[in-house]
Amino acid sequence: MFAQTAAHADATNAADRSFWNGTSGTAHSILNLDHTESLFFEGDEADFVYEVVEGVVASYSILADGRRQIHGFFFPGDLLGLSPDGQYHANTCAIGKIRLRSIPRAKLMRTAAERPEVGAKLLECATSQLVGMQNHFVLLGRKCAREKVASFLHALALRYAAKGSPTVTFRLPMSRSEIADYLGLTIETVSRTITKLRIAGLIDLPNSSTVEVRSMRKLEAVAGDDTADF
Amino acid sequence: MFAQTAAHADATNAADRSFWNGTSGTAHSILNLDHTESLFFEGDEADFVYEVVEGVVASYSILADGRRQIHGFFFPGDLLGLSPDGQYHANTCAIGKIRLRSIPRAKLMRTAAERPEVGAKLLECATSQLVGMQNHFVLLGRKCAREKVASFLHALALRYAAKGSPTVTFRLPMSRSEIADYLGLTIETVSRTITKLRIAGLIDLPNSSTVEVRSMRKLEAVAGDDTADF
DNA sequence: CGACGGCTTGATGATCATCAAATAGGGTGG
DNA sequence: CCACCCTATTTGATGATCATCAAGCCGTCG
């Protein structure tokens, strides 16, 4: 569901141990951004690829009349800013404080040409993102509000879950507005839907930005991600 | 909007001139499929990557209750079936008769490791698809039916347009049902919306599967793809 | 010519957006 | 430390868009 590099979901505090550290030939600089600060905009020269080291980054587009669609949230370990043509095609901003490793694109590409495993990893990151985006198509195009919100919370819970535990508590890094723009809903609908899930007993909200999943099983069932292929 | 390899949109009848021909070390076999025939399913071993040589391929997911979301349509020159983990993550089927070049994944990866330009092209294909998918997120999450259908027709018209011509006529390769499942709508809404665009004079329909765009300008305006980044 | 499937059109209703207001929570200044 | 304010969130009322249910139409093919 979220952007994933398939690499290491737990790289949060392991900046040095990252696969990408030094892949461009030299040590990479670490970037710090505050909440709402932008990393790059659509149309900018895509001179860098970024690895999220800490925090969450949102990638989004804005229509002429102000409607916003958030394409995805990037978590620690995720790779950001790959471009087919030297220009960025989305805007990005920090959700809370973030730390990023910036990797010069030109050097990275040169390294990829010399070290096949780097090129392969890049391709793996890109195709992992493709797969995640396909799931999000299903959510945006075919799921109702209840399913959208349940899918979102379930995916977040999985990311934060101690494996196998029946209940999970985590902090929502993003606002209702950002959730809404990711799910293709309004903040009111997101809020109402969360309330209904709470009343139904699937989750609890100690406060508006903390979610406690009471039943991963039921939440997953409402999310409805079973795929019936044929 | 559609999947694009950034390679060559006009490779329709140029099977031999394709970048991918022989990239796995040997000549590749050409596959022929009929309308509605499947290429692969979610969960299958992803032993091949495919290049569309002729016709259109749809990639889709199905929810447990039968709801379908088409992720994208793949046209001649597009690359299909890249996987991060050796399994396909979507279902695919032919829209009409198609011809495909099948490329053994393992060999392709080995070639990519030896020939940097092949690895780079693969990455370019993947990232091009990422960009196209971002646009589709905006469509699914934030556009109304009118904008969705206009966007779709406009993108198809661009693909088939003689450059700069004010009007374009082309044949819709896919059914209303497939359009609906791509745009996150129902066939009724697609049909009604097309009718309204016709009555408004933006398009004409000599028959239900042929579209004549009367005003690319107006169609583009309704599609509303202007992005206001900030 | 008739039947089938895909498309169109119509009538109705549910879901979700919009507009509006109240509440809560976090941060700041006194 | 407390009161206040500002903003995010929640809740409520209403309405528009689009899905659903239901016929009818049209082109195609046997």
Side-chain angles (χ1 to χ4, degrees), chain A residues 9 16 18 23 28 34 36 52 60 101 103 116 118 123 126 156 160 162 165 177 181 202 222 225 228:
Chain A
D16 299 337
S18 161
T23 39
H28 301 135
D34 270 339
T36 73
V52 179
Y60 64 94
R101 179 192 319 283
I103 309 171
V118 173
L123 186 61
L156 269 185
Y160 292 119
S165 68
S177 166
D181 287 343
L202 304 203
V222 173
D225 270 328

Side-chain angles (χ1 to χ4, degrees), chain B residues 92-109:
Chain B
T92 46
C93 73
I95 308 280
K97 286 184 185 301
I98 61 169
R99 286 175 59 212
L100 300 157
R101 179 193 320 283
S102 70
I103 310 171
R105 170 191 156 85
K107 283 188 183 175
L108 180 59
M109 292 310 158

Side-chain angles (χ1 to χ4, degrees), chain A residues 53-170:
Chain A
V53 174
E54 203 177 322
V56 182
V57 178
S59 160
Y60 64 94
S61 294
I62 303 240
L63 291 176
D65 60 3
R67 282 173 289 179
R68 179 177 68 164
Q69 178 67 39
I70 291 181
H71 309 136
F73 296 111
F74 292 74
F75 291 83
D78 292 339
L79 213 59
L80 187 65
L82 286 172
S83 167
D85 60 0
Q87 287 203 337
Y88 295 122
H89 292 271
N91 311 294
T92 46
C93 72
I95 308 281
K97 285 183 187 301
I98 61 170
R99 286 176 60 212
L100 300 158
R101 179 192 319 283
S102 71
I103 309 171
R105 169 189 157 87
K107 284 189 183 176
L108 180 59
M109 292 311 159
R110 239 173 287 139
T111 306
E114 290 162 10
R115 295 173 51 193
E117 80 275 18
V118 173
K121 177 66 92 174
L122 274 174
L123 186 61
E124 185 190 335
C125 285
T127 51
S128 290
Q129 290 189 24
L130 287 175
V131 171
M133 289 169 88
Q134 289 176 354
N135 290 331
H136 202 50
F137 280 153
V138 176
L139 181 147
L140 287 175
R142 286 301 177 218
K143 287 186 180 179
C144 67
R146 183 183 168 84
E147 293 168 324
K148 284 180 175 180
V149 172
S151 298
F152 177 73
L153 294 177
H154 182 250
L156 269 185
L158 281 184
R159 179 174 281 275
Y160 292 119
K163 39 176 119 181
S165 68
T167 74
V168 186
T169 302
F170 59 91

Side-chain angles (χ1 to χ4, degrees), chain B residues 144-145 186 188-189 192:
Chain B
C144 66
T186 61
E188 294 95 331
T189 299
R192 271 186 258 271

Side-chain angles (χ1 to χ4, degrees), chain A residues 34-49:
Chain A
D34 270 339
H35 183 48
T36 73
E37 283 190 316
S38 289
L39 185 52
F40 54 76
F41 293 106
E42 192 177 334
D44 287 357
E45 300 252 329
D47 292 333
F48 292 91
V49 174

